[in-house]
Amino acid sequence: MNRITPIALAIGAFLSTNSFAQTVRGSITDVKGMPIANATVMVEGTPTKVKTDGSGKFFIESSTERVVELHVSADGFTHLTRIVEEPDSAVLLQLTLKRSAIEVIDIVASPLHLSNMESASPVSVLGGEELRRQQSNTLGDTLEKTVGVQSSFHGKVASTPIIRGLSGPRVLIAQNGLDVGDVSRVGPDHAVASEVSTAQQIEVLRGPATLLYGSGAIGGVVNVVDVRVPTDNETRGEWLVESASVDNSKLGSFNVTTGLDSLAVYASGYWRESDSYYIPVPAKVGTRSIDNSFKVENSQEKSDGFTIGTSYLFDQGHVGIAVEKFNRIYGIPGHSHAHSDEDGHDHSHEGEDGVVAELNQTRVQLLSEIHFSNSLFSELSTRAAFTDYEHAEVEHGAVETLFQNDSKELRVDLKHNDWTNWNGAVSFHYKDSETSAQGSEAFTPPSKAAMLALALMEERRFDDVLVQLGARFEQVKLSATSISLPEVDLHSQSEKEQTDIVVDQVVSFDDEYKFKPTSLSAGLVWDFIQGYNVGLSLSRSQRAPSASEIFSFGPHIGAGSYEVGALFSLIGQGEQQYFGLSEKNIDVETSNNIDLTFRKTDGDIGFILNAFYNQVDNFYYQSATGLFAPSGHEHNQSNAQENSDDLPVYLFKSDDVILHGFEAQVAWQATDSFKTTLFTDYVRARLKDQGNLPRTSPLRFGAKLNYQQNSWSANLDIIRYQKQKDLAPMETETDGYTMVDTDVLYDLPYFNQSMSMFFKVRNLTNTEARVHTSFLKDVAPRQGRSFSIGLRGSF
């Protein structure tokens, strides 16, 4: 194949090449000398990648430089990098991989080649069999058992990940390295527009990841990786069918890759349907029920989607495009406006009074990689996405609020070869999004955000020390139209008195802000003893505030609050309080973060220990005012309940905060069949002067036990969530609880493919579990005991 794309031709005209065919051959064994089959051998900086045969042998013939860097990986083993100078067919490499109790997985998110055991910053990767075991209805619940990550758990329908106590606009949700393009970071009741049942792996970058993704990733990144734009045309695929008892859910999904000659094709699809889910206790804290059949009303879901992608493959790489259609209809628990009678029984009716979200997204993604045999640059990687998102909230058959988001994003990474022993990449990043909300609960005005950035990432190895440096410079423009300071009745609320405070002004105007966030990082990984390393990462990252943090003013029913942005301030005291424009400057958030990591990378016992300290200056957060405002919905109610729909008023303000904590996981491969993993994580989030941040993840610890024998495998997960006592003003304690999950899988090698039947039990003890990080903790606990059965296969 000698044809190349116009982009490659143009770059090739600029970059002179000096390449010749070379041959690398060898064999891969474990420490006992046993051959390792299906190990992956890739030539760094090229698209060349081969698998070892049954005897552990491999053969590579490629056009590359005189110095070849091989990267070798295999399931259950540590990774190996080997530099081969002037390879020759007469040289036979003998490579040995050491077993690792902790799975080592390459990080797709980074333009530099790294794994989760080689990065100075802490990274978790959920993939393979573990991903299939943990997958759930939502992204947040799928990652719930990942160290350092907890879930917002919005009644199982819209749960998002929380990383080290941070979420919302500080945690970027990405699809193959680009922003997923939804509005899930605006409100907890907004679902993430990404499906995990067809994903290949999910990467979690804990701590600031602004160098790769921009200021919206100041708290971390969740990157969902799939092969929608295929990089080869090997025929392979996966399929899954599953059913669960707790919500009568049904799921079916598939993905397949194939092709011919220089053409590769990918297709995937899924369908999911579920009813409202059952719980072990009454949904609302402190209420009774007329029967023992408890469930969270209006938590049903119906979703489907498909993706089609294709790539053109050539000697220097590939270029391709994929189109995805994502549809989801789901109830929003706690969003209905019904009331309870004296016995505490909820009189809302699913499908009648409950609010339903109808989410539709079309996403076009373009990906390309072009490799050069050149003394200066080695690879040009281009990613682009166009997303059309719409989210309607429907009540009584009418659209009450309509959210829309149109976004465009382009990211170009140009990797260079060795420059005085430094390897790295220059990145250009552009993102533009227009977001609007129309209707009774449009608490944020229409806004537009545009970002332009240039970043540089470099690394160099000094014997046993790997040094990683990076810098990123951004320009962010944020503008909004029809910003309103409306007339609203505010009042204090107590059993003895209610005092009305009326805003006597109505203002509507446009506004615009420009920010220049700058991020710097330095890190090192020191392999101080064979099989051990220590990592240190220092970073200073900045984030431009989001439109909702600045401009919002109105009821946000999904969060159960009346939200007021940092553009406004509460003026006066007592009965004379009202909202006006704030005199405080709107500025960037600045995070100063230190991460220390200690790892044991090989052997039957492996561990990863992390400690972090993060001081964030000018941190934007919601502060309770002690006032209440009407939700905007009118109901025929008795006088005793005339304020039942009032919402507490929260004002966005900024202060300096400190977040610190630890994460630890230890894995022990006791025998070839039995493995156990212990883990724990903790974050303390507080204002620098005094007080705590709201909805902070509690201390958690647990154990995962795995047994495999021939065609059988069994898993038992036991996780303890401690009581959260570090509370923000007007926040209540949340009791601790223990979750026990188990599953059994049996391999069925039929029809020339790998097929497995599995049986899962979630919340085995049927315990009451209320999630402290959830906005709905008092009305929507976790699911009760659930039995699942399913089949999955691969070919």
Side-chain angles (χ1 to χ4, degrees):
M1 294 179 290
N2 296 319
R3 298 173 58 193
I4 58 176
T5 65
I7 296 178
L9 186 61
I11 296 294
F14 174 73
L15 304 173
S16 62
T17 61
N18 180 20
S19 62
F20 51 90
Q22 300 190 8
T23 300
V24 181
R25 65 177 70 226
S27 63
I28 301 175
T29 63
D30 62 18
V31 293
K32 296 180 180 180
M34 300 299 295
I36 301 176
N38 293 318
T40 300
V41 184
M42 62 174 290
V43 180
E44 182 67 15
T46 78
T48 303
K49 180 170 30 177
V50 299
K51 295 277 191 180
T52 57
D53 60 20
S55 59
K57 296 181 179 179
F58 67 92
F59 175 84
I60 294 176
E61 184 172 357
S62 64
S63 177
T64 185
E65 289 296 310
R66 293 181 180 274
V67 178
V68 174
E69 180 178 333
L70 297 181
H71 187 80
V72 184
S73 60
D75 292 342
F77 293 88
T78 59
H79 288 194
L80 175 68
T81 299
R82 174 66 60 87
I83 304 296
V84 182
E85 296 186 2
E86 298 190 8
D88 186 275
S89 59
V91 177
L92 181 64
L93 297 177
Q94 299 286 345
L95 304 177
T96 301
L97 297 184
K98 296 183 178 181
R99 185 171 293 279
S100 175
I102 296 180
E103 188 173 9
V104 183
I105 304 179
D106 284 332
I107 304 167
V108 178
S110 174
L112 305 180
H113 186 239
L114 290 173
S115 73
N116 58 324
M117 299 293 276
E118 301 168 309
S119 172
S121 301
V123 180
S124 297
V125 182
L126 186 63
E129 178 64 26
E130 186 70 9
L131 173 58
R132 297 296 167 242
R133 284 187 56 235
Q134 304 299 345
Q135 73 178 37
S136 184
N137 293 26
T138 66
L139 182 61
D141 294 343
T142 296
L143 295 171
E144 172 68 19
K145 298 178 183 178
T146 302
V147 65
V149 183
Q150 295 197 32
S151 172
S152 65
F153 192 75
H154 202 80
K156 95 172 176 62
V157 296
S159 304
T160 55
I162 298 173
I163 301 177
R164 292 179 169 180
L166 298 177
S167 59
R170 295 179 182 86
V171 173
L172 178 68
I173 309 298
Q175 183 85 41
N176 294 316
L178 299 177
D179 195 326
V180 74
D182 58 23
V183 295
S184 61
R185 299 194 291 171
V186 175
D189 56 327
H190 299 167
V192 177
S194 183
E195 176 59 29
V196 299
S197 67
T198 57
Q200 184 181 37
Q201 68 184 45
I202 303 175
E203 303 166 350
V204 180
L205 284 68
R206 307 195 302 274
T210 55
L211 289 179
L212 294 174
Y213 293 95
S215 62
I218 197 171
V221 169
V222 174
N223 184 35
V224 181
V225 179
D226 58 29
V227 288
R228 63 181 58 194
V229 176
T231 59
D232 62 67
N233 55 14
E234 176 186 356
T235 299
R236 62 186 181 276
E238 294 179 298
W239 57 269
L240 165 71
V241 291
E242 183 178 359
S243 179
S245 64
V246 74
D247 55 1
N248 193 30
S249 67
K250 304 173 185 65
L251 168 66
S253 68
F254 78 93
N255 66 82
V256 61
T257 303
T258 189
L260 181 67
D261 295 331
S262 60
L263 181 68
V265 179
Y266 170 87
S268 69
Y270 78 97
W271 170 83
R272 178 188 288 111
E273 183 174 318
S274 68
D275 300 332
S276 293
Y277 68 92
Y278 285 89
I279 51 179
V281 294
K284 191 172 182 179
V285 171
T287 62
R288 298 180 288 111
S289 179
I290 59 176
D291 54 37
N292 293 321
S293 179
F294 310 124
K295 66 178 180 178
V296 174
E297 300 287 353
N298 202 36
S299 59
Q300 73 283 354
E301 176 204 358
K302 184 182 294 185
S303 59
D304 61 77
F306 67 87
T307 303
I308 297 176
T310 184
S311 292
Y312 173 67
L313 311 176
F314 49 95
D315 290 342
Q316 291 80 15
H318 70 275
V319 58
I321 186 172
V323 179
E324 177 194 31
K325 184 65 176 177
F326 184 95
N327 308 298
R328 194 174 188 200
I329 302 175
Y330 62 96
I332 304 180
H335 204 314
S336 62
H337 307 284
H339 60 279
S340 300
D341 58 21
E342 293 180 357
D343 67 2
H345 186 66
D346 189 358
H347 287 276
S348 63
H349 299 285
E350 182 177 335
E352 297 180 10
D353 295 329
V355 176
V356 174
E358 297 182 357
L359 188 162
N360 298 280
Q361 177 174 281
T362 301
R363 181 177 176 88
V364 179
Q365 192 159 4
L366 296 92
L367 302 176
S368 72
E369 286 186 5
I370 302 172
H371 299 268
F372 308 106
S373 298
N374 179 271
S375 59
L376 189 59
F377 295 104
S378 61
E379 179 185 321
L380 178 68
S381 174
T382 304
R383 303 168 187 262
F386 307 89
T387 305
D388 181 11
Y389 175 94
E390 185 174 282
H391 170 127
E393 295 186 356
V394 181
E395 187 173 12
H396 301 295
V399 175
E400 291 290 331
T401 308
L402 178 66
F403 295 90
Q404 294 177 306
N405 186 46
D406 293 327
S407 63
K408 302 179 288 292
E409 186 172 8
L410 172 66
R411 177 174 155 184
V412 179
D413 299 327
L414 181 60
K415 294 175 63 176
H416 66 77
N417 287 315
D418 190 312
W419 292 355
T420 63
N421 297 321
W422 287 91
N423 292 287
V426 179
S427 291
F428 168 83
H429 194 182
Y430 169 78
K431 183 162 58 175
D432 180 277
S433 63
E434 295 186 30
T435 306
S436 65
Q438 302 174 359
S440 61
E441 295 173 16
F443 58 94
T444 301
S447 62
K448 181 176 181 179
M451 180 271 293
L452 185 65
L454 182 68
L456 176 65
M457 290 153 282
E458 296 291 326
E459 66 176 22
R460 179 179 176 179
R461 183 167 289 279
F462 299 85
D463 294 327
D464 295 329
V465 178
L466 176 66
V467 176
Q468 300 169 339
L469 302 176
R472 181 183 177 101
F473 307 96
E474 288 187 30
Q475 287 190 341
V476 178
K477 180 180 178 181
L478 181 62
S479 58
T481 59
S482 303
I483 305 169
S484 64
L485 177 56
E487 181 177 2
V488 59
D489 291 336
L490 302 176
H491 58 268
S492 60
Q493 191 175 66
S494 67
E495 295 181 357
K496 296 183 178 179
E497 63 176 355
Q498 294 184 2
T499 304
D500 288 340
I501 306 167
V502 181
V503 175
D504 58 0
Q505 56 183 307
V506 180
V507 180
S508 181
F509 57 96
D510 300 341
D511 205 352
E512 179 180 284
Y513 290 91
K514 294 181 179 179
F515 307 97
K516 293 183 178 181
T518 300
S519 298
L520 304 170
S521 75
L524 62 83
V525 180
W526 177 28
D527 299 316
F528 63 97
I529 300 177
Q530 179 63 39
Y532 293 82
N533 70 42
V534 61
L536 175 65
S537 176
L538 306 175
S539 65
R540 178 179 174 85
S541 305
Q542 292 185 322
R543 179 183 77 92
S546 66
S548 60
E549 291 172 310
I550 299 177
F551 305 121
S552 61
F553 202 120
H556 189 177
I557 307 299
S561 61
Y562 194 99
E563 298 186 0
V564 181
L567 182 62
F568 310 100
S569 64
L570 191 59
I571 301 172
Q573 294 182 350
E575 298 183 8
Q576 304 301 317
Q577 295 182 85
Y578 64 93
F579 281 108
L581 293 179
S582 175
E583 296 181 357
K584 188 174 182 180
N585 291 333
I586 304 296
D587 205 352
V588 296
E589 220 174 64
T590 301
S591 168
N592 299 283
N593 188 77
I594 301 175
D595 259 292
L596 181 63
T597 305
F598 179 41
R599 307 181 184 97
K600 185 177 185 297
T601 60
D602 59 45
D604 291 333
I605 296 179
F607 56 75
I608 304 177
L609 310 177
N610 299 109
F612 65 91
Y613 181 91
N614 189 8
Q615 178 176 316
V616 187
D617 298 333
N618 205 42
F619 184 93
Y620 290 88
Y621 69 102
Q622 290 178 310
S623 175
T625 64
L627 300 175
F628 290 78
S631 67
H633 288 263
E634 297 181 358
H635 303 279
N636 294 323
Q637 305 177 86
S638 65
N639 293 333
Q641 296 188 356
E642 61 182 353
N643 292 309
S644 64
D645 276 352
D646 287 346
L647 300 174
V649 178
Y650 287 85
L651 174 65
F652 276 99
K653 58 187 299 187
S654 60
D655 278 307
D656 297 341
V657 305
I658 293 175
L659 302 98
H660 58 88
F662 59 82
E663 301 139 356
Q665 53 182 324
V666 180
W668 176 34
Q669 189 74 49
T671 68
D672 290 340
S673 300
F674 182 73
K675 176 181 175 180
T676 182
T677 302
L678 306 177
F679 78 95
T680 182
D681 51 36
Y682 170 75
V683 60
R684 178 81 168 88
R686 58 186 175 85
L687 298 176
K688 189 175 181 180
D689 294 332
Q690 60 179 352
N692 303 304
L693 291 182
R695 289 179 291 277
T696 300
S697 311
L699 170 66
R700 179 178 65 164
F701 51 87
K704 301 178 182 180
L705 310 177
N706 171 260
Y707 180 80
Q708 292 182 321
Q709 184 67 41
N710 298 325
S711 298
W712 290 91
S713 69
N715 297 273
L716 177 66
D717 298 341
I718 306 173
I719 303 177
R720 174 65 185 178
Y721 296 79
Q722 292 292 84
K723 176 185 287 189
Q724 180 57 280
K725 298 181 180 179
D726 297 324
L727 307 175
M730 303 184 69
E731 190 177 25
T732 59
E733 287 188 0
T734 306
D735 290 336
Y737 56 91
T738 301
M739 298 295 289
V740 181
D741 300 335
T742 185
D743 59 78
V744 178
L745 181 143
Y746 180 67
D747 292 329
L748 303 167
Y750 295 145
F751 308 112
N752 295 320
Q753 65 170 308
S754 174
M755 187 165 64
S756 303
M757 178 175 65
F758 59 88
F759 178 71
K760 300 178 183 178
V761 184
R762 295 292 178 260
N763 194 0
L764 180 65
T765 57
N766 203 36
T767 189
E768 176 184 1
R770 298 188 182 271
V771 182
H772 184 76
T773 54
S774 173
F775 282 84
L776 301 180
K777 72 168 187 172
D778 292 331
V779 296
R782 289 185 185 272
Q783 299 99 315
R785 185 186 296 114
S786 177
F787 301 95
S788 302
I789 189 169
L791 284 171
R792 67 170 180 257
S794 61
F795 56 89

